[in-house]
Amino acid sequence: PRRSGGSPAGPEAVRRAVLDAAADLFARRDVEGVSLRDIAAAADVQLALIGRYVGTRRELIDAVFDDLSTSLAQELTGRPLEQISFERDSTMGRWIVVLLHLVITGAGPDRTTASFNPVRALAGVLEENYGAGPAGAAVRAAQIAALALGWRRFERYLITAAGLEPIPLQDLRDEVTALNRRIGATPWPSPPGLPLPGTGPG
């Protein structure tokens, strides 16, 4: 879609328009289905300006991932312990699309520069809200991220494979959020003697 109010002007405005347009297109078509020409058209900028102000296609993908990482980290710290949107066009949904592209293509997100990333931000939330130490908070944050990533990416398959269609979708998503909170509140290393599901009291 064309941007309202005229074409962006100046390096920062062009860069911002390109990153926003790319993130939107990646979420709707996946990264491989989007060309630099598509991004230039959606951002309402000349194609050459992408190379000038953002870089190569690979540098653009890294920049989008960095930008989404920072935005998602800010959401997590600004709304601690709340459910983050599951939708593909949300910050989380867009971040997952780009992350999976980086992992699947073997590029890996290790070349990106965002140090304020969602997993570290989540670890900080766990330290502040559950009193976890740095190592424990980092372990639990990684585990929560693994569950959230898996559910958000494979939700449709998991619901079908497990026969969960009769359960309202929001109930399933609420349960994932509740489980993440329980993981975050569990000390690390896990206390010995925790009962297996269905074997404890109640």
Side-chain angles (χ1 to χ4, degrees):
R2 290 276 176 178
R3 297 168 61 83
S4 60
S7 301
E12 289 306 314
V14 168
R15 183 178 173 84
R16 180 75 267 153
V18 167
L19 295 181
D20 290 343
D24 178 61
L25 291 172
F26 290 164
R28 290 193 281 121
R29 301 187 203 167
D30 286 322
V31 177
E32 289 300 326
V34 178
S35 69
L36 291 180
R37 192 172 299 280
D38 293 333
I39 294 168
D44 197 14
V45 303
Q46 294 179 7
L47 181 60
L49 294 180
I50 294 179
R52 182 181 302 171
Y53 295 133
V54 183
T56 64
R57 178 179 172 80
R58 173 55 204 264
E59 289 169 337
L60 169 64
I61 295 168
D62 285 349
V64 171
F65 184 71
D66 281 349
D67 190 57
L68 291 171
S69 292
T70 300
S71 296
L72 182 55
Q74 289 170 342
E75 281 190 28
L76 290 168
T77 55
R79 299 164 46 204
L81 310 182
E82 290 184 30
Q83 185 177 100
I84 300 297
S85 174
F86 281 72
E87 302 308 320
R88 190 176 175 94
D89 62 352
S90 67
T91 305
M92 169 71 87
R94 293 175 175 191
W95 181 77
I96 289 173
V97 167
V98 182
L99 172 61
L100 287 177
H101 167 81
L102 292 172
V103 171
I104 290 169
T105 60
D110 50 290
R111 283 179 47 180
T112 62
T113 60
S115 58
F116 184 52
N117 65 65
V119 181
R120 290 185 182 176
L122 182 55
V125 168
L126 298 180
E127 286 190 62
E128 183 174 342
N129 289 274
Y130 293 119
V139 169
R140 295 304 186 217
Q143 292 170 335
I144 290 169
L147 175 58
L149 284 167
W151 184 268
R152 281 162 173 77
R153 188 59 178 177
F154 301 110
E155 180 178 72
R156 187 177 304 173
Y157 166 76
L158 294 170
I159 290 172
T160 303
L164 300 176
E165 293 90 346
I167 302 175
L169 179 59
Q170 191 57 51
D171 289 353
L172 294 172
R173 291 176 172 180
D174 289 345
E175 178 59 24
V176 172
T177 300
L179 179 57
N180 281 338
R181 291 193 185 113
R182 290 195 292 274
I183 292 171
T186 302
W188 181 83
S190 298
L194 284 179
L196 294 173
T199 63

mmCIF file of all heavy atoms in Angstrom, residues 23-24 26-28 68 72 75 79 83-98 148-149 151-156 159 169-174 177:
data_model
loop_
_atom_site.group_PDB
_atom_site.id
_atom_site.type_symbol
_atom_site.label_atom_id
_atom_site.label_comp_id
_atom_site.label_asym_id
_atom_site.label_seq_id
_atom_site.Cartn_x
_atom_site.Cartn_y
_atom_site.Cartn_z
ATOM 1 N N ALA A 23 8.798 -5.301 6.742
ATOM 2 C CA ALA A 23 8.231 -6.127 7.808
ATOM 3 C C ALA A 23 6.795 -6.520 7.486
ATOM 4 O O ALA A 23 6.380 -7.670 7.697
ATOM 5 C CB ALA A 23 8.294 -5.380 9.140
ATOM 6 N N ASP A 24 6.028 -5.584 6.951
ATOM 7 C CA ASP A 24 4.635 -5.855 6.594
ATOM 8 C C ASP A 24 4.555 -6.882 5.465
ATOM 9 O O ASP A 24 3.787 -7.851 5.541
ATOM 10 C CB ASP A 24 3.947 -4.552 6.178
ATOM 11 C CG ASP A 24 2.514 -4.785 5.747
ATOM 12 O OD1 ASP A 24 1.712 -5.257 6.564
ATOM 13 O OD2 ASP A 24 2.197 -4.503 4.571
ATOM 14 N N PHE A 26 6.892 -9.051 4.497
ATOM 15 C CA PHE A 26 7.424 -10.341 4.941
ATOM 16 C C PHE A 26 6.351 -11.114 5.701
ATOM 17 O O PHE A 26 6.220 -12.336 5.550
ATOM 18 C CB PHE A 26 8.643 -10.140 5.844
ATOM 19 C CG PHE A 26 9.874 -9.625 5.139
ATOM 20 C CD1 PHE A 26 10.923 -9.096 5.886
ATOM 21 C CD2 PHE A 26 9.994 -9.665 3.764
ATOM 22 C CE1 PHE A 26 12.073 -8.619 5.260
ATOM 23 C CE2 PHE A 26 11.139 -9.198 3.119
ATOM 24 C CZ PHE A 26 12.179 -8.671 3.878
ATOM 25 N N ALA A 27 5.596 -10.425 6.562
ATOM 26 C CA ALA A 27 4.572 -11.088 7.357
ATOM 27 C C ALA A 27 3.465 -11.653 6.472
ATOM 28 O O ALA A 27 2.921 -12.722 6.742
ATOM 29 C CB ALA A 27 3.978 -10.119 8.374
ATOM 30 N N ARG A 28 3.142 -10.947 5.384
ATOM 31 C CA ARG A 28 2.034 -11.373 4.529
ATOM 32 C C ARG A 28 2.448 -12.401 3.483
ATOM 33 O O ARG A 28 1.650 -13.262 3.111
ATOM 34 C CB ARG A 28 1.407 -10.157 3.850
ATOM 35 C CG ARG A 28 0.651 -9.277 4.830
ATOM 36 C CD ARG A 28 -0.220 -8.248 4.135
ATOM 37 N NE ARG A 28 0.562 -7.102 3.670
ATOM 38 C CZ ARG A 28 0.627 -6.727 2.400
ATOM 39 N NH1 ARG A 28 -0.005 -7.407 1.471
ATOM 40 N NH2 ARG A 28 1.335 -5.667 2.042
ATOM 41 N N LEU A 68 12.578 -5.272 14.557
ATOM 42 C CA LEU A 68 11.493 -6.012 15.190
ATOM 43 C C LEU A 68 11.908 -6.558 16.557
ATOM 44 O O LEU A 68 11.098 -6.593 17.490
ATOM 45 C CB LEU A 68 11.040 -7.160 14.281
ATOM 46 C CG LEU A 68 10.315 -6.747 13.000
ATOM 47 C CD1 LEU A 68 10.126 -7.962 12.081
ATOM 48 C CD2 LEU A 68 8.970 -6.099 13.309
ATOM 49 N N LEU A 72 9.783 -5.687 19.819
ATOM 50 C CA LEU A 72 9.171 -6.747 20.621
ATOM 51 C C LEU A 72 9.708 -6.721 22.044
ATOM 52 O O LEU A 72 8.951 -6.919 23.004
ATOM 53 C CB LEU A 72 9.426 -8.109 19.966
ATOM 54 C CG LEU A 72 8.810 -9.316 20.671
ATOM 55 C CD1 LEU A 72 7.304 -9.140 20.857
ATOM 56 C CD2 LEU A 72 9.107 -10.589 19.872
ATOM 57 N N GLU A 75 7.849 -4.138 23.848
ATOM 58 C CA GLU A 75 6.499 -4.600 24.202
ATOM 59 C C GLU A 75 6.544 -5.483 25.445
ATOM 60 O O GLU A 75 5.695 -5.363 26.335
ATOM 61 C CB GLU A 75 5.878 -5.378 23.044
ATOM 62 C CG GLU A 75 5.324 -4.526 21.935
ATOM 63 C CD GLU A 75 4.513 -5.345 20.933
ATOM 64 O OE1 GLU A 75 3.941 -6.392 21.320
ATOM 65 O OE2 GLU A 75 4.452 -4.935 19.761
ATOM 66 N N ARG A 79 4.765 -4.335 28.904
ATOM 67 C CA ARG A 79 3.562 -5.056 29.315
ATOM 68 C C ARG A 79 3.963 -6.403 29.912
ATOM 69 O O ARG A 79 3.634 -7.458 29.384
ATOM 70 C CB ARG A 79 2.640 -5.261 28.118
ATOM 71 C CG ARG A 79 2.153 -3.973 27.483
ATOM 72 C CD ARG A 79 1.574 -4.207 26.104
ATOM 73 N NE ARG A 79 0.672 -5.352 26.061
ATOM 74 C CZ ARG A 79 0.400 -6.039 24.961
ATOM 75 N NH1 ARG A 79 0.988 -5.720 23.823
ATOM 76 N NH2 ARG A 79 -0.439 -7.049 24.987
ATOM 77 N N GLN A 83 -0.332 -11.220 27.758
ATOM 78 C CA GLN A 83 -0.270 -12.004 26.529
ATOM 79 C C GLN A 83 0.072 -11.080 25.356
ATOM 80 O O GLN A 83 -0.531 -10.035 25.186
ATOM 81 C CB GLN A 83 -1.619 -12.678 26.267
ATOM 82 C CG GLN A 83 -1.607 -13.616 25.081
ATOM 83 C CD GLN A 83 -2.948 -14.311 24.899
ATOM 84 O OE1 GLN A 83 -3.752 -13.912 24.074
ATOM 85 N NE2 GLN A 83 -3.171 -15.357 25.684
ATOM 86 N N ILE A 84 1.082 -11.472 24.596
ATOM 87 C CA ILE A 84 1.460 -10.731 23.393
ATOM 88 C C ILE A 84 0.677 -11.315 22.222
ATOM 89 O O ILE A 84 0.459 -12.520 22.150
ATOM 90 C CB ILE A 84 2.979 -10.850 23.147
ATOM 91 C CG1 ILE A 84 3.754 -10.278 24.342
ATOM 92 C CG2 ILE A 84 3.378 -10.135 21.874
ATOM 93 C CD1 ILE A 84 3.536 -8.810 24.598
ATOM 94 N N SER A 85 0.272 -10.469 21.298
ATOM 95 C CA SER A 85 -0.588 -10.901 20.198
ATOM 96 C C SER A 85 -0.024 -12.112 19.459
ATOM 97 O O SER A 85 1.171 -12.196 19.203
ATOM 98 C CB SER A 85 -0.779 -9.750 19.202
ATOM 99 O OG SER A 85 -1.490 -10.206 18.064
ATOM 100 N N PHE A 86 -0.908 -13.032 19.115
ATOM 101 C CA PHE A 86 -0.546 -14.229 18.370
ATOM 102 C C PHE A 86 -0.638 -14.011 16.859
ATOM 103 O O PHE A 86 -0.266 -14.876 16.090
ATOM 104 C CB PHE A 86 -1.487 -15.389 18.741
ATOM 105 C CG PHE A 86 -1.169 -16.065 20.033
ATOM 106 C CD1 PHE A 86 -1.407 -15.446 21.243
ATOM 107 C CD2 PHE A 86 -0.643 -17.343 20.049
ATOM 108 C CE1 PHE A 86 -1.144 -16.082 22.439
ATOM 109 C CE2 PHE A 86 -0.364 -17.984 21.246
ATOM 110 C CZ PHE A 86 -0.611 -17.359 22.444
ATOM 111 N N GLU A 87 -1.198 -12.896 16.424
ATOM 112 C CA GLU A 87 -1.486 -12.732 15.007
ATOM 113 C C GLU A 87 -0.227 -12.514 14.177
ATOM 114 O O GLU A 87 0.748 -11.937 14.642
ATOM 115 C CB GLU A 87 -2.455 -11.572 14.801
ATOM 116 C CG GLU A 87 -3.768 -11.741 15.560
ATOM 117 C CD GLU A 87 -4.448 -13.083 15.306
ATOM 118 O OE1 GLU A 87 -4.441 -13.559 14.155
ATOM 119 O OE2 GLU A 87 -4.977 -13.666 16.269
ATOM 120 N N ARG A 88 -0.278 -12.934 12.926
ATOM 121 C CA ARG A 88 0.890 -12.877 12.043
ATOM 122 C C ARG A 88 1.334 -11.443 11.774
ATOM 123 O O ARG A 88 2.514 -11.190 11.560
ATOM 124 C CB ARG A 88 0.567 -13.593 10.730
ATOM 125 C CG ARG A 88 1.764 -13.818 9.826
ATOM 126 C CD ARG A 88 1.347 -14.622 8.600
ATOM 127 N NE ARG A 88 2.426 -14.769 7.643
ATOM 128 C CZ ARG A 88 3.254 -15.810 7.588
ATOM 129 N NH1 ARG A 88 3.138 -16.778 8.461
ATOM 130 N NH2 ARG A 88 4.192 -15.873 6.662
ATOM 131 N N ASP A 89 0.387 -10.481 11.781
ATOM 132 C CA ASP A 89 0.754 -9.099 11.490
ATOM 133 C C ASP A 89 1.133 -8.306 12.739
ATOM 134 O O ASP A 89 1.379 -7.110 12.664
ATOM 135 C CB ASP A 89 -0.369 -8.380 10.731
ATOM 136 C CG ASP A 89 -1.665 -8.291 11.540
ATOM 137 O OD1 ASP A 89 -1.746 -8.919 12.617
ATOM 138 O OD2 ASP A 89 -2.594 -7.598 11.091
ATOM 139 N N SER A 90 1.201 -8.979 13.893
ATOM 140 C CA SER A 90 1.664 -8.324 15.117
ATOM 141 C C SER A 90 3.186 -8.244 15.111
ATOM 142 O O SER A 90 3.851 -8.854 14.264
ATOM 143 C CB SER A 90 1.197 -9.115 16.343
ATOM 144 O OG SER A 90 1.852 -10.380 16.380
ATOM 145 N N THR A 91 3.740 -7.518 16.065
ATOM 146 C CA THR A 91 5.208 -7.454 16.165
ATOM 147 C C THR A 91 5.786 -8.851 16.369
ATOM 148 O O THR A 91 6.767 -9.232 15.720
ATOM 149 C CB THR A 91 5.626 -6.527 17.320
ATOM 150 O OG1 THR A 91 5.029 -5.246 17.136
ATOM 151 C CG2 THR A 91 7.140 -6.373 17.369
ATOM 152 N N MET A 92 5.170 -9.630 17.263
ATOM 153 C CA MET A 92 5.634 -10.999 17.508
ATOM 154 C C MET A 92 5.534 -11.844 16.245
ATOM 155 O O MET A 92 6.469 -12.565 15.879
ATOM 156 C CB MET A 92 4.810 -11.644 18.631
ATOM 157 C CG MET A 92 5.027 -13.144 18.787
ATOM 158 S SD MET A 92 6.625 -13.601 19.450
ATOM 159 C CE MET A 92 6.283 -13.505 21.196
ATOM 160 N N GLY A 93 4.401 -11.747 15.550
ATOM 161 C CA GLY A 93 4.218 -12.540 14.341
ATOM 162 C C GLY A 93 5.235 -12.196 13.268
ATOM 163 O O GLY A 93 5.802 -13.082 12.625
ATOM 164 N N ARG A 94 5.494 -10.909 13.078
ATOM 165 C CA ARG A 94 6.476 -10.481 12.072
ATOM 166 C C ARG A 94 7.876 -10.930 12.465
ATOM 167 O O ARG A 94 8.664 -11.366 11.624
ATOM 168 C CB ARG A 94 6.425 -8.955 11.926
ATOM 169 C CG ARG A 94 5.135 -8.452 11.329
ATOM 170 C CD ARG A 94 5.072 -6.943 11.316
ATOM 171 N NE ARG A 94 3.864 -6.488 10.621
ATOM 172 C CZ ARG A 94 3.621 -5.248 10.268
ATOM 173 N NH1 ARG A 94 4.514 -4.297 10.548
ATOM 174 N NH2 ARG A 94 2.514 -4.924 9.654
ATOM 175 N N TRP A 95 8.196 -10.809 13.738
ATOM 176 C CA TRP A 95 9.518 -11.204 14.240
ATOM 177 C C TRP A 95 9.767 -12.689 13.990
ATOM 178 O O TRP A 95 10.843 -13.086 13.546
ATOM 179 C CB TRP A 95 9.613 -10.862 15.724
ATOM 180 C CG TRP A 95 10.907 -11.172 16.382
ATOM 181 C CD1 TRP A 95 12.073 -10.465 16.289
ATOM 182 C CD2 TRP A 95 11.175 -12.277 17.269
ATOM 183 N NE1 TRP A 95 13.054 -11.055 17.066
ATOM 184 C CE2 TRP A 95 12.530 -12.168 17.674
ATOM 185 C CE3 TRP A 95 10.398 -13.327 17.761
ATOM 186 C CZ2 TRP A 95 13.118 -13.071 18.547
ATOM 187 C CZ3 TRP A 95 10.988 -14.232 18.630
ATOM 188 C CH2 TRP A 95 12.339 -14.100 19.010
ATOM 189 N N ILE A 96 8.743 -13.506 14.244
ATOM 190 C CA ILE A 96 8.888 -14.948 14.054
ATOM 191 C C ILE A 96 9.131 -15.282 12.585
ATOM 192 O O ILE A 96 9.968 -16.126 12.256
ATOM 193 C CB ILE A 96 7.646 -15.697 14.587
ATOM 194 C CG1 ILE A 96 7.627 -15.638 16.120
ATOM 195 C CG2 ILE A 96 7.627 -17.143 14.117
ATOM 196 C CD1 ILE A 96 6.361 -16.199 16.735
ATOM 197 N N VAL A 97 8.409 -14.614 11.688
ATOM 198 C CA VAL A 97 8.582 -14.869 10.252
ATOM 199 C C VAL A 97 10.031 -14.622 9.834
ATOM 200 O O VAL A 97 10.646 -15.443 9.141
ATOM 201 C CB VAL A 97 7.625 -13.993 9.421
ATOM 202 C CG1 VAL A 97 8.005 -14.016 7.944
ATOM 203 C CG2 VAL A 97 6.187 -14.459 9.599
ATOM 204 N N VAL A 98 10.595 -13.503 10.269
ATOM 205 C CA VAL A 98 11.968 -13.177 9.867
ATOM 206 C C VAL A 98 12.967 -14.090 10.570
ATOM 207 O O VAL A 98 13.939 -14.558 9.962
ATOM 208 C CB VAL A 98 12.277 -11.691 10.136
ATOM 209 C CG1 VAL A 98 13.697 -11.347 9.675
ATOM 210 C CG2 VAL A 98 11.268 -10.790 9.420
ATOM 211 N N ALA A 148 6.591 -20.367 23.104
ATOM 212 C CA ALA A 148 5.833 -19.342 22.382
ATOM 213 C C ALA A 148 6.093 -19.419 20.878
ATOM 214 O O ALA A 148 5.161 -19.339 20.070
ATOM 215 C CB ALA A 148 6.194 -17.960 22.921
ATOM 216 N N LEU A 149 7.353 -19.567 20.487
ATOM 217 C CA LEU A 149 7.703 -19.662 19.072
ATOM 218 C C LEU A 149 7.037 -20.877 18.430
ATOM 219 O O LEU A 149 6.448 -20.786 17.349
ATOM 220 C CB LEU A 149 9.217 -19.762 18.904
ATOM 221 C CG LEU A 149 10.020 -18.481 19.085
ATOM 222 C CD1 LEU A 149 11.504 -18.810 19.215
ATOM 223 C CD2 LEU A 149 9.798 -17.549 17.909
ATOM 224 N N TRP A 151 4.396 -22.620 19.430
ATOM 225 C CA TRP A 151 2.940 -22.543 19.358
ATOM 226 C C TRP A 151 2.496 -21.562 18.280
ATOM 227 O O TRP A 151 1.618 -21.860 17.484
ATOM 228 C CB TRP A 151 2.343 -22.140 20.711
ATOM 229 C CG TRP A 151 0.840 -22.169 20.628
ATOM 230 C CD1 TRP A 151 0.011 -21.135 20.309
ATOM 231 C CD2 TRP A 151 0.011 -23.315 20.797
ATOM 232 N NE1 TRP A 151 -1.289 -21.568 20.271
ATOM 233 C CE2 TRP A 151 -1.323 -22.900 20.574
ATOM 234 C CE3 TRP A 151 0.259 -24.642 21.120
ATOM 235 C CZ2 TRP A 151 -2.400 -23.776 20.662
ATOM 236 C CZ3 TRP A 151 -0.820 -25.523 21.214
ATOM 237 C CH2 TRP A 151 -2.128 -25.080 20.987
ATOM 238 N N ARG A 152 3.123 -20.405 18.237
ATOM 239 C CA ARG A 152 2.694 -19.393 17.280
ATOM 240 C C ARG A 152 2.926 -19.835 15.837
ATOM 241 O O ARG A 152 2.126 -19.568 14.964
ATOM 242 C CB ARG A 152 3.409 -18.060 17.548
ATOM 243 C CG ARG A 152 2.787 -17.309 18.720
ATOM 244 C CD ARG A 152 3.727 -16.247 19.266
ATOM 245 N NE ARG A 152 3.106 -15.422 20.271
ATOM 246 C CZ ARG A 152 2.891 -15.775 21.543
ATOM 247 N NH1 ARG A 152 3.239 -16.988 21.935
ATOM 248 N NH2 ARG A 152 2.315 -14.949 22.397
ATOM 249 N N ARG A 153 4.017 -20.531 15.597
ATOM 250 C CA ARG A 153 4.313 -20.940 14.212
ATOM 251 C C ARG A 153 3.507 -22.157 13.791
ATOM 252 O O ARG A 153 3.121 -22.272 12.633
ATOM 253 C CB ARG A 153 5.817 -21.219 14.064
ATOM 254 C CG ARG A 153 6.241 -21.447 12.629
ATOM 255 C CD ARG A 153 5.913 -20.257 11.748
ATOM 256 N NE ARG A 153 6.366 -20.466 10.381
ATOM 257 C CZ ARG A 153 6.155 -19.615 9.394
ATOM 258 N NH1 ARG A 153 5.490 -18.512 9.610
ATOM 259 N NH2 ARG A 153 6.602 -19.871 8.188
ATOM 260 N N PHE A 154 3.267 -23.083 14.714
ATOM 261 C CA PHE A 154 2.649 -24.359 14.347
ATOM 262 C C PHE A 154 1.255 -24.529 14.939
ATOM 263 O O PHE A 154 0.740 -25.640 15.000
ATOM 264 C CB PHE A 154 3.553 -25.516 14.774
ATOM 265 C CG PHE A 154 4.918 -25.461 14.140
ATOM 266 C CD1 PHE A 154 6.036 -25.167 14.902
ATOM 267 C CD2 PHE A 154 5.077 -25.679 12.781
ATOM 268 C CE1 PHE A 154 7.296 -25.100 14.321
ATOM 269 C CE2 PHE A 154 6.332 -25.615 12.195
ATOM 270 C CZ PHE A 154 7.446 -25.323 12.967
ATOM 271 N N GLU A 155 0.647 -23.433 15.354
ATOM 272 C CA GLU A 155 -0.654 -23.489 16.025
ATOM 273 C C GLU A 155 -1.679 -24.298 15.236
ATOM 274 O O GLU A 155 -2.334 -25.193 15.788
ATOM 275 C CB GLU A 155 -1.168 -22.066 16.244
ATOM 276 C CG GLU A 155 -2.511 -22.000 16.939
ATOM 277 C CD GLU A 155 -2.939 -20.561 17.166
ATOM 278 O OE1 GLU A 155 -3.312 -19.881 16.177
ATOM 279 O OE2 GLU A 155 -2.891 -20.104 18.319
ATOM 280 N N ARG A 156 -1.840 -23.997 13.962
ATOM 281 C CA ARG A 156 -2.873 -24.676 13.164
ATOM 282 C C ARG A 156 -2.623 -26.174 13.111
ATOM 283 O O ARG A 156 -3.545 -26.987 13.285
ATOM 284 C CB ARG A 156 -2.902 -24.090 11.755
ATOM 285 C CG ARG A 156 -4.048 -24.621 10.911
ATOM 286 C CD ARG A 156 -4.078 -23.947 9.555
ATOM 287 N NE ARG A 156 -4.146 -22.496 9.678
ATOM 288 C CZ ARG A 156 -4.054 -21.664 8.638
ATOM 289 N NH1 ARG A 156 -3.865 -22.136 7.430
ATOM 290 N NH2 ARG A 156 -4.132 -20.373 8.824
ATOM 291 N N ILE A 159 -3.249 -27.861 16.653
ATOM 292 C CA ILE A 159 -4.667 -27.989 16.980
ATOM 293 C C ILE A 159 -5.280 -29.153 16.218
ATOM 294 O O ILE A 159 -6.002 -29.981 16.782
ATOM 295 C CB ILE A 159 -5.403 -26.670 16.678
ATOM 296 C CG1 ILE A 159 -4.982 -25.596 17.693
ATOM 297 C CG2 ILE A 159 -6.909 -26.869 16.705
ATOM 298 C CD1 ILE A 159 -5.483 -24.209 17.381
ATOM 299 N N LEU A 169 -10.272 -21.198 20.390
ATOM 300 C CA LEU A 169 -8.882 -20.832 20.130
ATOM 301 C C LEU A 169 -8.317 -19.948 21.223
ATOM 302 O O LEU A 169 -7.174 -20.148 21.665
ATOM 303 C CB LEU A 169 -8.777 -20.130 18.771
ATOM 304 C CG LEU A 169 -7.391 -19.655 18.354
ATOM 305 C CD1 LEU A 169 -6.407 -20.823 18.287
ATOM 306 C CD2 LEU A 169 -7.463 -18.943 17.001
ATOM 307 N N GLN A 170 -9.091 -18.977 21.691
ATOM 308 C CA GLN A 170 -8.574 -18.080 22.714
ATOM 309 C C GLN A 170 -8.279 -18.821 24.014
ATOM 310 O O GLN A 170 -7.332 -18.493 24.723
ATOM 311 C CB GLN A 170 -9.544 -16.919 22.979
ATOM 312 C CG GLN A 170 -8.939 -15.810 23.841
ATOM 313 C CD GLN A 170 -7.664 -15.228 23.239
ATOM 314 O OE1 GLN A 170 -7.626 -14.850 22.072
ATOM 315 N NE2 GLN A 170 -6.597 -15.156 24.037
ATOM 316 N N ASP A 171 -9.073 -19.860 24.328
ATOM 317 C CA ASP A 171 -8.794 -20.663 25.522
ATOM 318 C C ASP A 171 -7.441 -21.354 25.402
ATOM 319 O O ASP A 171 -6.679 -21.437 26.382
ATOM 320 C CB ASP A 171 -9.882 -21.715 25.740
ATOM 321 C CG ASP A 171 -11.210 -21.111 26.184
ATOM 322 O OD1 ASP A 171 -11.243 -19.882 26.448
ATOM 323 O OD2 ASP A 171 -12.201 -21.859 26.271
ATOM 324 N N LEU A 172 -7.136 -21.865 24.214
ATOM 325 C CA LEU A 172 -5.848 -22.523 24.008
ATOM 326 C C LEU A 172 -4.701 -21.521 24.136
ATOM 327 O O LEU A 172 -3.676 -21.812 24.748
ATOM 328 C CB LEU A 172 -5.810 -23.184 22.632
ATOM 329 C CG LEU A 172 -6.777 -24.354 22.431
ATOM 330 C CD1 LEU A 172 -6.793 -24.792 20.970
ATOM 331 C CD2 LEU A 172 -6.400 -25.528 23.330
ATOM 332 N N ARG A 173 -4.881 -20.338 23.573
ATOM 333 C CA ARG A 173 -3.840 -19.316 23.663
ATOM 334 C C ARG A 173 -3.668 -18.832 25.094
ATOM 335 O O ARG A 173 -2.539 -18.601 25.545
ATOM 336 C CB ARG A 173 -4.187 -18.159 22.735
ATOM 337 C CG ARG A 173 -4.093 -18.525 21.262
ATOM 338 C CD ARG A 173 -4.539 -17.403 20.350
ATOM 339 N NE ARG A 173 -4.273 -17.706 18.950
ATOM 340 C CZ ARG A 173 -4.560 -16.895 17.945
ATOM 341 N NH1 ARG A 173 -5.127 -15.723 18.171
ATOM 342 N NH2 ARG A 173 -4.276 -17.239 16.707
ATOM 343 N N ASP A 174 -4.783 -18.702 25.817
ATOM 344 C CA ASP A 174 -4.694 -18.298 27.225
ATOM 345 C C ASP A 174 -3.936 -19.335 28.046
ATOM 346 O O ASP A 174 -3.186 -18.996 28.966
ATOM 347 C CB ASP A 174 -6.094 -18.095 27.814
ATOM 348 C CG ASP A 174 -6.790 -16.855 27.280
ATOM 349 O OD1 ASP A 174 -6.119 -15.992 26.685
ATOM 350 O OD2 ASP A 174 -8.025 -16.759 27.465
ATOM 351 N N THR A 177 -0.238 -18.913 27.548
ATOM 352 C CA THR A 177 0.226 -17.778 28.357
ATOM 353 C C THR A 177 0.346 -18.175 29.822
ATOM 354 O O THR A 177 1.329 -17.843 30.493
ATOM 355 C CB THR A 177 -0.738 -16.581 28.204
ATOM 356 O OG1 THR A 177 -0.791 -16.202 26.828
ATOM 357 C CG2 THR A 177 -0.269 -15.398 29.034
#
